[in-house]
Amino acid sequence: MTPTEAAEAAEHPRPGGGEAATVTGSRPAPGATPPRTPPKARTPLRARAAAELLGTALLVAVVIGSGIQATELTKDVGVQLLANSVATVFGLGILILLFGPVSGAHFNPVVTLAEWWTARRGGDGVTAREVAMYVPAQIVGAIAGAILADAMFGEPLVEWSTHDRSAGHLLLGEVVATAGLILLIFGLARTDQLRYAPVAVASYIGAAYWFTSSTSFANPAVTIGRAFSDTFAGIAPGSVPGFVGAQVVGAVVGLALVALVFVPARSAVR
């Protein structure tokens, strides 16, 4: 090999073995088109809708069932709320962990609608067709969960709740609870931390049981389902529209806070 050829070989090594092949062998040449990877297959929409129905049903069964159990074990309202909130924290965390990889584990129409809105604005989210499947599934699941909880404890399968929750301060509590939930979920998404959602969302709901006046329904489907059970966790049908309206307002406030706080970082100008 001539000195000129040796110099050229040093400047432009050929792949073929040793450490250099390990480091550069998997990288495309500068300017080359990287190999295309096939798109990740998505779970069929019917399976995702089924996951939303089942997950919401189990969530409502946990909320109502633990409330019934608590009232049968103690007359102390504080202990009843503690038992109800602890069961909800564990149940919700497990359900998000289980169904998250299938449907995203919304279990909540305002979360689904917020995702649809962010998708319309150019972000990741669900389509209108998915909304049309998810939201009815969530509502049906919530009603089924309430009936299941009543059946497990020997209560009338459908008995409208008489627990009035129409006071203004309770509606304010729902606005705060729902805004915080949307801020948390979409804040985690903006900062690439959704892997913590099972713990984070369940922990937030558990805390909101105690720091909000409404005990944090923060979910229109769950609100509708809880109207079907005249037990500790129930809500009178006449109070449902006000709660759902407050939850929608809270979702709008939450999305506005996400847009205000989680602004994409800008590259430094030199």
Side-chain angles (χ1 to χ4, degrees):
M1 178 181 294
T2 65
T4 302
E5 291 173 338
E8 290 178 352
E11 292 177 0
H12 305 287
R14 297 179 182 177
E19 185 177 354
T22 303
V23 174
T24 64
S26 61
R27 298 179 184 177
T33 303
R36 294 183 179 181
T37 55
K40 184 179 180 181
R42 296 196 67 187
T43 305
L45 181 55
R46 64 180 180 276
R48 285 180 274 145
E52 286 297 302
L53 189 153
L54 182 57
T56 310
L58 292 174
L59 174 60
V60 173
V62 168
V63 173
I64 293 179
S66 62
I68 297 173
Q69 184 79 284
T71 56
E72 290 183 354
L73 295 176
T74 179
K75 299 301 181 184
D76 188 319
V77 178
V79 176
Q80 292 171 358
L81 184 60
L82 178 62
N84 193 210
S85 61
V86 169
T88 302
V89 167
F90 285 116
L92 179 57
I94 291 169
L95 291 172
I96 295 174
L97 187 65
L98 178 62
F99 293 111
V102 179
S103 67
H106 297 184
F107 313 146
N108 189 333
V110 294
V111 172
T112 300
L113 289 170
E115 279 213 4
W116 169 76
W117 176 255
T118 59
R120 290 184 71 250
R121 306 288 291 180
D124 295 329
V126 295
T127 65
R129 182 165 175 259
E130 289 171 314
V131 172
M133 291 289 286
Y134 274 30
V135 173
Q138 292 158 354
I139 294 172
V140 171
I143 296 171
I147 294 172
L148 174 62
D150 285 339
M152 286 192 295
F153 287 92
E155 301 287 338
L157 296 185
V158 175
E159 185 175 18
W160 298 115
S161 175
T162 57
H163 195 161
D164 180 73
R165 300 178 188 263
S166 58
H169 67 282
L170 300 180
L171 300 182
L172 176 59
E174 276 302 284
V175 172
V176 172
T178 310
L181 178 63
I182 296 298
L183 177 62
L184 171 62
I185 293 172
F186 287 85
L188 290 175
R190 289 283 184 94
T191 55
D192 194 25
Q193 299 185 90
L194 276 176
R195 60 190 177 279
Y196 300 119
V199 172
V201 173
S203 298
Y204 172 78
I205 292 297
Y209 255 85
W210 291 90
F211 80 78
T212 64
S213 56
S214 63
T215 65
S216 183
F217 286 45
N219 185 328
V222 169
T223 302
I224 293 170
R226 289 168 69 162
F228 282 73
S229 179
D230 190 20
T231 56
F232 176 79
I235 178 173
S239 301
V240 169
F243 260 51
V244 172
Q247 290 155 2
V248 172
V249 171
V252 173
V253 172
L255 285 175
L257 293 174
V258 170
L260 176 66
V261 175
F262 297 99
V263 180
R266 295 180 179 179
S267 302
V269 179
R270 295 183 180 179

